[in-house]
Amino acid sequence: MHPVCKANIPFFVGLSTKVLPEKQHSPIKGRKKAEGDLVIHGNILYNVDYRSYIDTPYAENDIYYHTIQTYLDITYKKNYPVRVYLTNRFSNSALTRDFTDLNMQFSSNEFRNKIRQTLRAYEYDLPRLTMDSLLRLQKELDLKKYELAWCKGWMKDQSTIQKLVEEKERELYGERNQRFDMPDLPLGNKTGINWSKSMDRSAFAKRLFQMPDKSELPDSLLPKDSSLAERYEANTRKLDSLQHEIKTLTTKCISLRDKLEVLRSGKNIGVDKIANIEQLEEEVRRRNVPDSALPRGYKTLWAVKSIGIGRTLVDYSELSAKNVSINGIQLEYNPGYYVAFAAGTINYRFRDFVIKRGNTPSQYLQMIRVGKGDRNGTNVITTFYSGKKQIYNNTGAQDVKSPGYQLMGFTVEGNYKLNDYTRLTVEVAKSSLPYYNQPAKKGLLSTALSFDDRSNEAYSAKIQSVIPKTNTKLSGFYKRYGENFQSFSLITTGVEQRSWMLKADQLFFGKKLNVIASLKENDYSNPAATMVYQNNIVFKTLQATLRLPHWPIVSVGYYPSSQLTKLSDDKFVENTFYSLVGNVNYYYKVHDINMNSTAVYTRFYNRQQDSAFVYFNTTNLLLNQSFFYRKLTYQATGAMAFNQEYNLYTLDNDVQYALLEWLSLGAGIKYNYQTNYNIKQLGYKGSAIIKVKKLGEFQLMLDNGFIPGAQKQLVKNKTGRFSFFKLF
């Protein structure tokens, strides 16, 4: 019996796999849904709010606001998602208006996620060249390992050593050398295999270890005419050479295997980064996804950025329309070229949503955008806009003729991805002249296309960048508007305007400390003001947040504030002040009780004449402690406000308890004490949540509290709410 060879031999175990017949499924009982069936999910909400006293922006008593709202997620054939919103609000207020809003939009993000989910289900087609190279290297490595094992086995074999001794003895005694062949690879019994006398050991070893034939070995391993000592010496040198070659091949195999593993593990990264039709088609080709697995028209719908009908948002560019709510239609389509269209009536001033304005002239817009490139990448887009915008106050009187508020203009916008981390946006615009500067014999289009007058031009530049090595985010913009420039992004006109902002977001100490700093000038707009106001004050903002594992989160910020007051038709005054805010928040667990502690410090640096705010030049401190234990939630809050005239102390306790699976109750008591005036006030609140199976959830809340009133004293204010919410 040969001794056991301890060489490193590649061991491959072949598993016998039995092909099972395909499982026969029983036919589905009942009616099968047709392909055109709709799947609808969503919710419905009814909410009524009560206020015993309202002082902002107008004073009213005993006001009820009713809101009915629902949204529906509708999916057609499991692939085409649409979302519908419906909101209706009405009240008994004489000042606020009732309204109904309807919005229907194609859920483009959800559609893209469905496509990505389908792509992930198909195996990524790894590069064939890399796979073939790895297989060749692996085969060569296995052969070298086999040669090494063969050499070690032959050199350590007792018969080889015995014959080597005999050859040396014959050499010493002058006897004729005899030639010996190399024995078979010793296997021994330590392999864990029970040998049978009738078993062909060499054939079994060849099949078990997938070894090559001896004919595949180099001739140097089987020398025929040399002495046994020469052959032993040659194999010793060969052993060293094989060990070096195996080390080199192993390094190459590991490198290629790691490369393939990176490709395999990152096979879905490409899916997540699909930005255009070309990248989508490439990913479909790589994964060999059949057309039958993808919804019809998926390329066209992938290119749809947004479709909205009803109440929708137009957010195109800085100089054309920025965050303007319209009641109409809006579409963005970007397969390679870019097309966008929007048209509808607008509620340009946000007060139009809540304040009844009588016979206010209607406002509307029409916009067309055409360009080339990716909307979120590098592109050039031209925008044409026109419509009607109420820039100035109007009493709504029947006998007053409204001036012409029509406007028209165009912009050219360029977005450039300088690299993977930096994006630059530049836009230039020109508009028609306002009606009060409009020449008698010229129309809107002629003044918008006239380059003799530069007062109706505007310019904007914006940059965003990330520095990965230092975890730094940088951003900034500069905007300049001519005195006669008009657009749906600019609320006011009549004075040349300029604004800019610089912002830096920096992470320190392994992303534990986040510091945000910014500088800005004239970065505000007031939709209630009829004229522009600007100054040369540069506002500074600084914020820092520290997050350490197992420690409270600490945040400190220094923020500017500004209040614009109109003194007359052409005179304004602006008061500026700063606020220092710091807070500490800690979530932790004591035994089986989850807890949360919060402390907030606020300091207003202002004077009484700077603002109508009751607590001017005030220092505020708030402490909150929460306990969460099984079905019980308890919160205790204490607040203190200190100023030059009086101090205000407030205590608030609130408890919530889930009595049953369908019933939760809550109650609370609040206490106020105001010094100097020696006012002590006690308030209360209560709440209930009732869940009814197959019907929905009911919520009730009442609060007998206090709000700031006249003469710097708190006055009573009762509020209540009833809500019904149903998911389906």
Side-chain angles (χ1 to χ4, degrees):
M1 182 69 67
H2 295 295
V4 176
C5 173
K6 297 182 181 179
N8 184 16
I9 304 175
F11 189 87
F12 299 91
V13 179
L15 298 177
S16 175
T17 58
K18 184 178 180 180
V19 180
L20 299 176
E22 185 177 356
K23 185 178 180 179
Q24 299 294 326
H25 298 278
S26 59
I28 300 176
K29 296 181 180 181
R31 184 183 67 86
K32 184 179 179 180
K33 285 189 176 181
E35 292 185 356
D37 286 352
L38 296 178
V39 177
I40 301 176
H41 296 287
N43 66 44
I44 184 169
L45 167 70
Y46 170 70
N47 186 84
V48 55
D49 285 293
Y50 167 76
R51 299 287 185 271
S52 64
Y53 175 66
I54 297 177
D55 66 343
T56 303
Y58 305 105
E60 286 189 303
N61 296 318
D62 295 326
I63 300 300
Y64 292 88
Y65 289 99
H66 301 263
T67 302
I68 301 175
Q69 186 178 70
T70 183
Y71 86 79
L72 306 175
D73 281 326
I74 304 173
T75 305
Y76 177 63
K77 290 188 176 181
K78 300 182 180 180
N79 289 312
Y80 306 99
V82 177
R83 175 164 288 187
V84 178
Y85 288 94
L86 175 63
T87 302
N88 177 259
R89 197 200 69 174
F90 55 95
S91 73
N92 64 338
S93 171
L95 297 173
T96 58
R97 72 182 182 91
D98 304 335
F99 65 86
T100 299
D101 278 342
L102 173 66
N103 169 258
M104 182 174 66
Q105 58 185 359
F106 173 68
S107 303
S108 56
N109 289 333
E110 185 176 347
F111 177 79
R112 295 190 188 100
N113 290 335
K114 288 180 178 290
I115 298 296
R116 291 189 177 98
Q117 185 177 0
T118 301
L119 295 179
R120 293 189 187 100
Y122 287 82
E123 185 63 29
Y124 188 83
D125 188 11
L126 297 174
R128 177 53 52 190
L129 181 62
T130 307
M131 289 287 292
D132 292 343
S133 299
L134 179 61
L135 291 175
R136 287 195 299 269
L137 282 175
Q138 188 65 52
K139 183 178 180 180
E140 184 178 357
L141 178 61
D142 292 342
L143 179 60
K144 295 298 181 183
K145 288 182 177 181
Y146 173 72
E147 293 179 18
L148 180 67
W150 192 277
C151 289
K152 286 184 176 181
W154 180 77
M155 294 174 67
K156 293 180 179 180
D157 190 271
Q158 292 296 330
S159 62
T160 301
I161 296 174
Q162 180 63 32
K163 292 176 182 178
L164 188 64
V165 172
E166 293 176 357
E167 182 181 85
K168 188 65 176 178
E169 290 177 349
R170 285 192 293 271
E171 181 180 346
L172 292 175
Y173 292 102
E175 296 182 7
R176 182 179 178 182
N177 294 337
Q178 298 182 7
R179 184 165 59 92
F180 301 95
D181 291 332
M182 184 180 293
D184 289 337
L185 175 69
L187 295 174
N189 287 329
K190 291 186 179 182
T191 57
I193 302 172
N194 295 322
W195 292 99
S196 172
K197 293 182 179 180
S198 61
M199 185 180 294
D200 186 344
R201 292 176 57 194
S202 61
F204 179 83
K206 180 177 175 182
R207 185 179 75 252
L208 181 64
F209 297 109
Q210 297 183 357
M211 297 177 180
D213 295 330
K214 291 183 179 181
S215 59
E216 297 184 36
L217 297 175
D219 294 339
S220 59
L221 284 179
L222 300 173
K224 300 296 184 181
D225 301 327
S226 57
S227 66
L228 187 60
E230 292 173 341
R231 293 163 59 193
Y232 194 91
E233 180 64 25
N235 277 281
T236 301
R237 294 192 298 271
K238 183 66 175 177
L239 197 67
D240 296 336
S241 176
L242 284 172
Q243 289 175 341
H244 177 73
E245 292 177 7
I246 288 173
K247 183 178 180 180
T248 302
L249 288 172
T250 301
T251 302
K252 291 181 179 180
C253 280
I254 292 175
S255 177
L256 268 180
R257 194 179 293 114
D258 290 345
K259 182 178 179 180
L260 285 173
E261 185 60 31
V262 169
L263 293 174
R264 186 178 289 108
S265 61
K267 65 181 182 179
N268 290 328
I269 295 178
V271 174
D272 297 332
K273 291 185 176 181
I274 296 176
N276 51 51
I277 299 298
E278 290 75 13
Q279 295 176 357
L280 175 62
E281 291 178 337
E282 178 66 19
E283 202 66 30
V284 170
R285 183 192 62 79
R286 287 180 179 179
R287 296 171 181 270
N288 296 319
V289 181
D291 291 339
S292 59
L294 297 168
R296 292 183 180 180
Y298 72 93
K299 295 180 183 178
T300 300
L301 293 176
W302 181 277
V304 174
K305 297 296 183 181
S306 62
I307 297 179
I309 300 175
R311 177 68 61 192
T312 185
L313 188 68
V314 178
D315 186 15
Y316 285 162
S317 70
E318 293 289 341
L319 302 182
S320 60
K322 189 71 174 176
N323 295 329
V324 178
S325 176
I326 70 169
N327 192 4
I329 184 172
Q330 188 271 140
L331 165 69
E332 281 188 288
Y333 183 62
N334 188 203
Y337 58 89
Y338 175 83
V339 175
F341 171 77
T345 60
I346 63 177
N347 292 107
Y348 192 75
R349 299 180 178 183
F350 292 105
R351 283 188 176 183
D352 289 346
F353 284 103
V354 294
I355 304 300
K356 294 180 180 180
R357 299 185 60 85
N359 298 321
T360 301
S362 61
Q363 304 175 91
Y364 59 89
L365 66 77
Q366 306 97 21
M367 304 189 71
I368 298 177
R369 285 163 58 86
V370 179
K372 183 174 178 57
D374 183 10
R375 176 69 174 87
N376 298 319
T378 298
N379 59 67
V380 176
I381 300 173
T382 300
T383 303
F384 171 80
Y385 61 87
S386 67
K388 186 177 181 181
K389 183 180 72 171
Q390 181 196 356
I391 303 175
Y392 305 100
N393 286 333
N394 188 285
T395 61
Q398 298 290 341
D399 56 345
V400 177
K401 182 179 180 181
S402 301
Y405 296 127
Q406 287 77 11
L407 71 155
M408 179 184 296
F410 58 89
T411 76
V412 178
E413 178 189 15
N415 291 275
Y416 306 94
K417 290 191 69 174
L418 303 180
N419 51 49
D420 291 338
Y421 307 102
T422 304
R423 178 183 174 90
L424 174 66
T425 302
V426 178
E427 186 177 15
V428 296
K430 193 172 180 66
S431 74
S432 59
L433 294 173
Y435 76 94
Y436 52 82
N437 283 335
Q438 190 77 32
K441 297 183 179 181
K442 288 189 176 182
L444 296 177
L445 182 60
S446 61
T447 59
L449 296 177
S450 176
F451 292 93
D452 295 334
D453 189 353
R454 310 297 297 272
S455 66
N456 56 346
E457 296 177 351
Y459 312 93
S460 172
K462 180 171 60 177
I463 189 169
Q464 294 176 316
S465 183
V466 177
I467 305 176
K469 291 184 179 180
T470 59
N471 291 318
T472 305
K473 296 179 182 179
L474 301 172
S475 62
F477 69 79
Y478 176 84
K479 293 183 286 188
R480 180 186 176 277
Y481 306 98
E483 60 179 316
N484 289 320
F485 177 74
Q486 303 178 94
S487 79
F488 294 100
S489 294
L490 183 63
I491 297 175
T492 55
T493 187
V495 178
E496 183 178 332
Q497 304 174 58
R498 177 189 77 248
S499 65
W500 58 269
M501 187 273 292
L502 296 174
K503 183 179 179 181
D505 188 335
Q506 178 65 60
L507 294 172
F508 298 96
F509 309 119
K511 300 183 180 181
K512 294 181 177 64
L513 176 62
N514 185 24
V515 178
I516 302 174
S518 68
L519 301 172
K520 63 181 180 179
E521 181 184 18
N522 287 326
D523 181 27
Y524 63 87
S525 60
N526 190 340
T530 60
M531 294 184 65
V532 68
Y533 176 84
Q534 63 178 356
N535 59 34
N536 295 321
I537 298 176
V538 177
F539 291 99
K540 284 80 66 176
T541 302
L542 182 64
Q543 177 182 326
T545 303
L546 180 64
R547 292 181 174 88
L548 297 175
H550 312 297
W551 284 84
I553 300 175
V554 181
S555 180
V556 179
Y558 188 62
Y559 308 100
S561 300
S562 174
Q563 180 169 324
L564 186 64
T565 304
K566 181 180 179 181
L567 302 179
S568 63
D569 289 341
D570 58 351
K571 291 183 180 180
F572 293 82
V573 61
E574 182 181 28
N575 297 302
T576 61
F577 54 92
Y578 280 82
S579 302
L580 176 64
V581 180
N583 64 74
V584 179
N585 187 73
Y586 189 37
Y587 186 85
Y588 53 99
K589 189 173 185 178
V590 178
H591 299 295
D592 294 334
I593 303 176
N594 294 314
M595 298 186 180
N596 186 79
S597 301
T598 302
V600 180
Y601 172 85
T602 306
R603 178 71 168 90
F604 296 99
Y605 296 95
N606 64 330
R607 299 169 299 171
Q608 184 176 8
Q609 58 267 32
D610 289 340
S611 174
F613 182 47
V614 175
Y615 306 124
F616 66 91
N617 197 25
T618 301
T619 299
N620 296 278
L621 179 62
L622 182 145
L623 302 174
N624 176 268
Q625 179 64 49
S626 301
F627 301 87
F628 309 94
Y629 181 71
R630 297 181 181 177
K631 299 180 180 181
L632 177 68
T633 300
Y634 174 75
Q635 294 189 66
T637 303
M640 294 163 282
F642 310 99
N643 61 33
Q644 297 176 355
E645 298 190 9
Y646 59 84
N647 299 335
L648 176 65
Y649 301 94
T650 301
L651 294 176
D652 192 347
N653 293 271
D654 188 5
V655 61
Q656 300 281 337
Y657 187 74
L659 294 174
L660 303 168
E661 291 184 0
W662 57 271
L663 177 62
S664 297
L665 297 177
I669 298 176
K670 59 181 67 178
Y671 171 78
N672 296 330
Y673 173 63
Q674 191 173 7
T675 63
N676 295 351
Y677 300 98
N678 197 26
I679 298 176
K680 298 179 181 179
Q681 298 166 317
L682 187 66
Y684 57 87
K685 56 184 174 181
S687 63
I689 300 176
I690 304 172
K691 300 178 181 179
V692 181
K693 290 184 178 181
K694 298 183 180 180
L695 182 58
E697 180 176 297
F698 298 87
Q699 296 185 8
L700 299 97
M701 183 276 293
L702 60 89
D703 188 315
N704 184 15
F706 310 91
I707 62 174
Q711 300 177 353
K712 302 176 183 178
Q713 298 180 18
L714 298 178
V715 297
K716 283 189 176 182
N717 181 47
K718 296 180 180 179
T719 62
R721 187 184 74 247
F722 169 78
S723 297
F724 167 74
F725 185 76
K726 169 66 175 177
L727 284 170
F728 55 88

